[in-house]
Amino acid sequence: MSHFVVGVVGLGSMGKALAESLISADHEVAVWDRHTDRVATTAMLGAAPTYAPNQFAELADVIFLALPNPTAVREVLFDEEHGLLLGLKEGAVIVDMTTGDRDLAKDVADRVAALGKDARYLDAPVSGKAPKLTTIVGGAEGALGIAEEAVKDVSTTVIYTGKLGDGFATKLVHQHVKYVTHQAVAEALLIAEAAGLNLPTVISTLENSSGVTGGQKSAFEYFTQDKRGIRSHAPSTTIAKDMRLASALAASVGVKSHSLQSATDFFELAVATDLAKDPYPESIALLREQCAGAQECAGA
């Protein structure tokens, strides 16, 4: 176990689990949160309480940020009176697990570097909850430096994306997939409900078929150029037919599905091209053309 003090800023659901996992892994832990009751509760488990970000920073060698948004990150770090950067230690590493963006990563990294303390900032957003996080690091392997041990102690998977800001960008792609899928499944179940179908049976069908995961898998096959996998799929003409039938079912029960309409429109466009009889993942070539520059990615 390293002798470094590991700090956690933000003791909401994610930060609380993070601090508790670090304590369980026998790290020396310091904590700060604007809600003093959260600090007190975590201190009872063995963390060192602090009462301002700059005071916190004077203790911590490795700093985890678990904050709700980029605005909160900037407030905590840059406050002119009590900002964390005012107390940052020589050689400290800030690991930002907030869901942010590339602008935040560059802004903070530049300001940390300007301090001249050999400190560093890394975007490292997460999926899941400690101690079983998937941590997405905006840097190459080794970029975590003295923070690596603590990150591994709270993670089951650590992914290195290559450069600053790409951790945040990769997390945003993840969020896109997760919540667009959520909307599509929710809309489909509303149609099923309105059609009088037995929802537990429909859900069991989705869980035991390719309904939820198949679209993701076929997209992965296209972008990884898995030609054998691509060839295993039905042509776009078949998918266009299925989307028309699904849209007719939705219309017959009076439910409007934005995700279904988008897919229906897209495959109608695909079958009007020379991609019509190709395996449907090949239609992504058309989607790539639509999404180029500022063009709209949907089919209408």
Side-chain angles (χ1 to χ4, degrees), residues 27 81 124 133 160 190 236 256:
H27 288 280
E81 186 175 357
L133 294 171
Y160 296 92
L190 287 172
S236 287
K256 182 176 181 179

Side-chain angles (χ1 to χ4, degrees), residues 41-288:
T41 298
T42 311
M44 292 174 63
L45 300 176
T50 64
Y51 302 99
N54 57 320
Q55 179 211 359
F56 163 91
E58 291 170 0
L59 295 179
D61 301 285
V62 174
I63 297 169
F64 288 103
L65 303 182
L67 295 166
N69 53 57
T71 298
V73 171
R74 289 186 169 93
E75 289 175 352
V76 168
L77 295 183
F78 304 152
D79 181 82
E80 292 183 0
E81 186 175 357
H82 298 295
L84 188 151
L85 294 193
L86 295 175
L88 195 66
K89 294 177 70 174
E90 188 82 21
V93 177
I94 301 173
V95 180
D96 191 354
M97 292 184 163
T98 308
T99 297
D101 57 25
R102 284 172 164 168
D103 288 343
L104 175 67
K106 184 178 187 308
D107 184 20
V108 179
D110 286 349
R111 293 182 69 162
V112 169
L115 295 174
K117 293 186 174 183
D118 196 30
R120 74 176 81 173
Y121 166 93
L122 290 162
D123 53 308
V126 299
S127 177
K129 184 174 286 189
K132 297 181 178 180
L133 294 171
T134 294
T135 302
I136 310 163
V137 180
E141 191 164 356
L144 289 167
I146 62 171
E148 183 171 349
E149 181 180 351
V151 170
K152 288 183 174 179
D153 281 341
V154 297
S155 308
T156 53
T157 304
V158 180
I159 298 168
Y160 296 92
T161 61
K163 63 179 185 293
L164 182 75
D166 282 5
F168 282 155
T170 300
K171 172 65 183 292
L172 294 177
V173 171
H174 170 277
Q175 298 300 82
H176 177 171
V177 171
K178 180 176 181 178
Y179 294 109
V180 170
T181 300
H182 166 82
Q183 180 180 341
V185 173
E187 289 177 353
L189 291 176
L190 287 172
I191 294 167
E193 184 178 61
L197 298 175
N198 181 276
L199 285 185
T201 299
V202 173
I203 291 169
S204 178
T205 301
L206 293 173
E207 289 176 333
N208 292 283
S209 66
S210 63
V212 176
T213 61
Q216 175 179 275
K217 181 174 180 292
S218 61
F220 290 171
E221 288 167 348
Y222 177 86
F223 284 98
T224 60
Q225 286 299 291
D226 179 355
K227 298 187 182 301
R228 183 175 180 180
I230 292 170
R231 287 195 299 270
S232 71
H233 294 288
S236 287
T237 50
T238 298
I239 311 308
K241 175 264 296 180
D242 290 351
M243 293 299 94
R244 287 193 293 268
L245 291 171
S247 292
L249 173 62
S252 73
V253 297
V255 176
K256 182 176 181 179
S257 167
H258 297 285
S259 58
L260 177 57
Q261 187 64 57
S262 178
T264 301
D265 291 345
F266 173 74
F267 281 104
E268 289 295 344
L269 282 177
V271 298
T273 72
D274 57 7
L275 295 168
K277 295 183 179 179
D278 290 341
Y280 81 85
E282 298 286 9
S283 66
I284 293 173
L286 177 62
L287 192 64
R288 188 190 294 276

